Amino acid sequence: MSTTTEQAGRVVVVTGAGGPTGQAVTARLTARGDTVIGVDRHEATGVLAVDLADAEAVRALARRVEDEHGRVDGVVHLVGGWRGSKTFAETDLADWDVLHTQLIRTLQNVSLAFEPLLRVSDDARFAIISATAAQRPTQGNAAYATAKAAAEAWTLALADALRGTHAAAAILVIKALVNDAMRAAAPERAFPGFTDVKDLAEAVARLWDRPAEDVNGTRTDLTS
């Protein structure tokens, strides 16, 4: 393991921290000595309850983290969700409204609130989890794929804003995620092309392995 990755003392915000993916990322970063501020919609042990669709609530969160820790060296945005249909014609635009809030608006609020803190860090990373659907949409995935593509575009715009700093914004791409509980519930399933949440957590940790300029604006496929 790279000694760069294992440096301790970074302050990292993980949104969507209450689920299996957030727990895996939190565990990996905490294990190397980072201070992780977990955020989720619902309060849980070690997790702050914040409505990330509320811009002022997110700005208050950023102020709180800065006041309590003095800096932010990373934001891992894991807020997700899926809505779909059998055919293109059956697409319900109410699903788009939900996905816009979950996948786009939360990203916008979080990135806008934390960008000023990231850009002054000595070594910061901002990461989102995207999906292969953003590049290869299917008719039943129209709303979801469009939301993911928009989230990628927004993150690349953030990457442009961070150019020339010691911070970077990156995209990690999956088909879908799998965890131990899912395997236990369906032992007969192979989950082809799925990314284990622990492997995703390792990929997040590796974002600090390379200089910011080498990471900024990258799109890494974790399906292979």
Side-chain angles (χ1 to χ4, degrees):
M1 192 63 61
S2 165
T3 55
T4 301
T5 301
E6 297 309 321
Q7 287 180 355
R10 297 187 181 96
V11 177
V12 183
V13 176
V14 175
T15 63
T21 306
Q23 292 168 7
V25 170
T26 296
R28 177 64 184 91
L29 298 181
T30 301
R32 73 177 185 189
D34 290 344
T35 297
V36 176
I37 297 94
V39 181
D40 209 292
R41 179 181 299 180
H42 305 292
E43 189 169 359
T45 302
V47 176
L48 300 176
V50 180
D51 180 4
L52 299 179
D54 181 337
E56 180 49 44
V58 179
R59 287 191 291 267
L61 170 66
R63 291 192 297 268
R64 175 177 176 178
V65 174
E66 183 180 23
D67 288 345
E68 294 182 359
H69 300 278
R71 69 185 196 279
V72 174
D73 305 308
V75 176
V76 185
H77 189 63
L78 301 175
V79 177
W82 182 86
R83 295 287 182 95
S85 59
K86 290 184 178 180
T87 68
F88 183 81
E90 292 176 298
T91 299
D92 186 346
L93 290 181
D95 289 343
W96 166 256
D97 294 337
V98 172
L99 292 170
H100 177 270
T101 297
Q102 292 181 342
L103 303 184
I104 303 173
R105 185 48 53 88
T106 63
L107 169 62
Q108 292 172 326
N109 289 341
V110 169
S111 58
L112 289 170
F114 282 95
E115 188 265 356
L117 294 172
L118 294 170
R119 68 185 297 109
V120 297
S121 167
D122 291 336
D123 189 23
R125 302 292 183 269
F126 184 99
I128 68 163
I129 312 306
S130 190
T132 53
Q135 297 291 312
R136 297 188 294 276
T138 60
Q139 61 174 320
N141 256 348
Y144 174 76
T146 301
K148 282 294 189 182
E152 288 197 19
W154 185 271
T155 303
L156 293 176
L158 172 61
D160 186 56
L162 295 176
R163 204 173 308 278
T165 73
H166 296 292
I171 300 164
L172 300 176
V173 182
I174 62 166
K175 172 185 175 181
L177 290 168
V178 63
N179 57 62
D180 291 343
M182 292 169 62
R183 290 194 179 93
E188 74 286 352
R189 286 191 62 184
F191 298 99
F194 283 43
T195 300
D196 192 282
V197 294
K198 294 176 184 176
D199 293 331
L200 173 65
E202 189 61 36
V204 168
R206 287 199 303 267
L207 291 174
W208 280 267
D209 275 0
R210 295 178 291 151
E213 61 267 26
D214 293 344
V215 175
N216 198 35
T218 57
R219 187 177 189 272
T220 304
D221 191 332
L222 301 179
T223 61
S224 58

